[in-house]
Amino acid sequence: MRLVRFISSAGICSRRNAADLIKNNQITVNKRTNNDPAYIVHPTDVVHYKGKEVKTVVEMVYLMLNKPLGIICASSSPHGEQTVVDLVQDAYAEARLFPIGRLDKDTTGLILLTNDGDLAFKLSHPKFNISKHYRVTLNRQLEFEDEDLLIKGITLEDGITAFDDIDIYPNKKNTFDVALHSGKNRIIRRMFAELEYKIISLHRFSIGSLHLESLRSGDYRKLSEAEVHELKAAAEKHQD
């Protein structure tokens, strides 16, 4: 196993961050600094990070969490804020979990947690354009002309982004579901702000074939073997 994968598989961080740790001389192998991410770790090698021995995780954990309002998507917070990892800490304190992707503090809904750094890296890759569905409530009714613009594409400072679909509720026209592939930071909020709408609430209820269904706010569950297999298959497909 390459050193970069060895570090990420230990649950310390994602593969991208593991490469940075190695290149920045933060990893030692057999008491010597090793800055080669492609180094092959042998069974007799002893790897250390911050003075502690690094061991690969025996069991990979894959969780689906319904993130509540006000919780940040991070493994830890320098400011003492509650994180998504804190919500599962009692049951998975030794697993070294971290979130795949992120939802901002004011957005609720589906987030994935894992200690599989290799999968997290692949799912965070720009090529991994899997569809995500959100329920949006605005401060006012969405105008027909703006709905058309959101489907055709909104020009922002980092390019043009469009929703794949908008599904408006007949009796509540300021609440609707949107689907999109983009993983750009705060993209939904920025799209509506460009058209001078304010988002009252934003909730992600699905990522690809994964759905929150009846999972209550703050609750979590393990993904099934079939769900994990499908995630890995999708990740491999988008790496081609």
Side-chain angles (χ1 to χ4, degrees), residues 108-146:
T108 61
L110 200 163
I111 192 77
L112 300 176
L113 302 173
T114 188
N115 52 7
D116 187 341
D118 193 48
L119 178 63
F121 172 78
K122 290 176 180 177
L123 295 186
S124 301
H125 195 281
K127 290 183 180 179
F128 187 73
N129 289 324
I130 194 166
S131 182
K132 300 176 259 314
H133 290 78
Y134 298 78
R135 186 149 298 150
V136 185
T137 298
L138 298 178
N139 61 324
R140 58 188 175 91
Q141 181 176 325
L142 181 64
E143 301 294 335
F144 177 79
E145 295 81 3
D146 292 334

Side-chain angles (χ1 to χ4, degrees), residues 6-39:
F6 184 90
I7 297 298
S8 64
S9 296
I12 292 174
C13 58
S14 69
R15 198 168 78 176
R16 181 183 288 116
N17 290 336
D20 291 337
L21 289 179
I22 296 166
K23 291 176 182 178
N24 291 324
N25 300 319
Q26 299 296 304
I27 303 298
T28 64
V29 180
N30 302 327
K31 298 183 179 181
R32 293 185 177 182
T33 300
N34 190 316
N35 59 9
D36 180 12
Y39 173 82

Side-chain angles (χ1 to χ4, degrees), residues 19-119:
D20 291 337
L21 289 179
I22 296 166
K23 291 176 182 178
N24 291 324
N25 300 319
Q26 299 296 304
I27 303 298
T28 64
V29 180
N30 302 327
K31 298 183 179 181
R32 293 185 177 182
T33 300
N34 190 316
N35 59 9
D36 180 12
Y39 173 82
I40 302 299
V41 179
H42 297 90
T44 56
D45 286 337
V46 180
V47 180
H48 281 82
Y49 169 61
K50 289 186 175 180
K52 294 184 179 181
E53 185 176 353
V54 178
K55 297 181 179 180
T56 53
V57 176
V58 175
E59 179 188 4
M60 291 296 181
V61 177
Y62 307 89
L63 302 179
M64 171 193 294
L65 168 73
N66 188 349
K67 186 187 91 67
L69 194 67
I71 307 295
I72 65 170
C73 282
S75 300
S76 60
S77 169
H79 307 296
E81 297 173 287
Q82 190 175 24
T83 73
V84 289
V85 173
D86 291 334
L87 297 178
V88 303
Q89 191 69 4
D90 288 345
Y92 294 97
E94 302 301 320
R96 294 185 177 180
L97 300 178
F98 47 85
I100 298 178
R102 62 179 57 243
L103 294 174
D104 63 50
K105 191 174 182 179
D106 297 323
T107 301
T108 61
L110 200 163
I111 192 77
L112 300 176
L113 302 173
T114 188
N115 52 7
D116 187 341
D118 193 48
L119 178 63

